[in-house]
Amino acid sequence: MTRIVAIGEAMVELAPAGDAELYRAGFAGDTLNTAWYLRQLMPATDAIAYFTAIGKDDISARLLAFIRAAGLETGQIAQRDDSTVGLYMISLNNGERSFSYWRGQSAARRMLEDDTALRAALQGADLAYLSGITLAILPQDARGRLFDVLRDFRQAGGKVAFDPNLRPRLWPDPKTMTDTVMQAAGLSDIALPSYEDEAGWFHDTTPAATAQRYREAGAAVVVVKNGPKQVIAVTPNRSFAVKPSQVANVVDTTAAGDSFNAGFLASYLQHGDLETASIAGADLATAVIQQFGALVTLDQFTQHRISGRPL
């Protein structure tokens, strides 16, 4: 049995509903998206938990019910009476997305006022998964607590997977963002950056340069996503490239990276082959971007093709 704990912020999502004037309300968030897809791909005997904080209002109750219905463990989700959940709206232009956010009162910003609940959630876990957004929404002292917990978790034998997911608007300044992201890289066993994000802020000239920077920071496995271009994977012993399938009709790129991470992790944790896992991640992202919204239900054939689970 494998136990994974995803740490982050779950939000209300307003996604285009096929008409320019209509939006559909749902729930999403980068680490929640990955956890949601992991639950579809991993065997039922494995446990996927989500760690965050939400409010005690109606929309928070609906979010909690959504997470439970997805099959994710919710026992360590804190409910606060002084805040609620954040909201974001997706805008699309030829399949490419941009976001507008309302998250100032998000309870998730307060999820690490102390570290007791997170330490309890990670007890017995095999993998902790977090993102740069997880880091960005936390106050500096809470980020320090998170890093302390991850250090202890790794010393006890756990592994950490990290998607930098750079969102400059969430940070006080670029240097704080880049310094903190590289601190997290040094606490990670698996790093899953996106070259398009990294090149602009770290001045990497190639995806291979991005991979090397994360390797030098301490990540044993680095997989660099690059949209429709080659995925670069680097380990202490080898490097290789995987070319994603080309998509003629990109509908919505929301959660492309989040779903890639889920496909990669599900395959890697089950089978241990990095090249197969990179292909699985690319295949899942390809399936997701051909539908609207962050979360799309996978049919049995897709689950089998990506995770290797029997039909």
Side-chain angles (χ1 to χ4, degrees):
M1 175 179 170
T2 298
R3 178 177 170 79
I4 301 170
V5 179
I7 308 164
E9 180 185 29
M11 304 180 73
V12 177
E13 176 194 79
L14 296 180
D19 185 299
E21 303 302 323
L22 294 177
Y23 284 80
R24 180 182 65 252
F27 299 107
D30 66 336
T31 56
L32 177 61
N33 299 342
T34 298
W36 193 87
Y37 284 113
L38 279 169
R39 182 63 285 166
Q40 292 193 64
L41 295 170
M42 299 290 286
T45 51
D46 293 340
I48 318 294
Y50 197 67
F51 181 87
T52 190
I54 60 176
K56 291 185 176 180
D57 53 352
D58 179 69
I59 194 66
S60 296
R62 290 168 59 190
L63 170 58
L64 186 61
F66 172 83
I67 296 173
R68 285 174 176 157
L72 303 177
E73 293 185 2
T74 61
Q76 301 299 331
I77 293 180
Q79 292 186 266
R80 305 178 58 100
D81 56 13
D82 59 356
S83 47
T84 183
V85 295
L87 177 148
Y88 72 94
M89 183 173 70
I90 300 170
S91 298
L92 293 174
N93 183 9
N94 296 322
E96 288 299 322
R97 81 273 196 246
S98 60
F99 303 97
S100 299
Y101 291 97
W102 296 266
R103 70 197 323 163
Q105 298 302 311
S106 170
R109 291 178 178 270
R110 300 169 176 85
M111 64 180 164
L112 273 159
E113 288 185 339
D114 68 64
D115 62 16
T116 305
L118 181 56
R119 289 185 183 277
L122 290 173
Q123 192 70 34
D126 301 284
L127 181 77
Y129 173 75
L130 72 154
S131 76
I133 293 177
T134 309
L135 302 175
I137 65 170
L138 295 174
Q140 183 176 353
D141 59 343
R143 288 198 295 267
R145 282 189 285 275
L146 173 58
F147 287 159
D148 287 344
V149 171
L150 294 178
R151 286 188 190 96
D152 292 345
F153 176 65
R154 294 181 79 210
Q155 288 177 1
K159 302 294 185 184
V160 174
F162 174 57
D163 179 351
N165 208 359
L166 304 177
R167 294 293 182 267
R169 287 183 295 175
L170 294 176
W171 294 92
D173 57 77
K175 187 175 188 306
T176 301
M177 176 180 73
T178 54
D179 287 353
T180 305
V181 162
M182 294 315 294
Q183 276 187 273
L187 294 171
S188 302
D189 300 280
I190 301 170
L192 298 158
S194 295
Y195 176 65
E196 183 179 16
D197 292 344
E198 303 286 322
W201 296 103
F202 289 98
H203 311 295
D204 298 333
T205 56
T206 64
T210 298
Q212 184 61 25
R213 177 166 48 80
Y214 280 92
R215 281 281 301 120
E216 291 175 352
V221 174
V222 184
V223 182
V224 184
K225 297 160 285 188
N226 196 14
K229 299 178 182 178
Q230 285 185 331
V231 176
I232 304 294
V234 177
T235 74
N237 302 315
R238 63 179 296 214
S239 63
F240 55 86
V242 169
K243 178 69 173 176
S245 301
Q246 296 303 295
V247 178
N249 183 31
V250 176
V251 172
D252 182 355
T253 57
T254 305
D258 306 333
S259 58
F260 177 97
N261 296 346
F264 173 86
L265 291 171
S267 177
Y268 183 55
L269 292 172
Q270 291 179 85
H271 308 298
D273 184 83
L274 288 169
E275 189 164 4
T276 300
S278 298
I279 293 169
D283 284 349
L284 181 54
T286 295
V288 168
I289 64 175
Q290 295 181 74
Q291 302 183 59
F292 284 109
L295 304 178
V296 300
T297 301
L298 307 178
D299 59 31
Q300 280 192 312
F301 175 77
T302 302
Q303 292 181 34
H304 168 72
R305 177 167 55 86
I306 293 168
S307 69
R309 286 173 54 191
L311 291 170

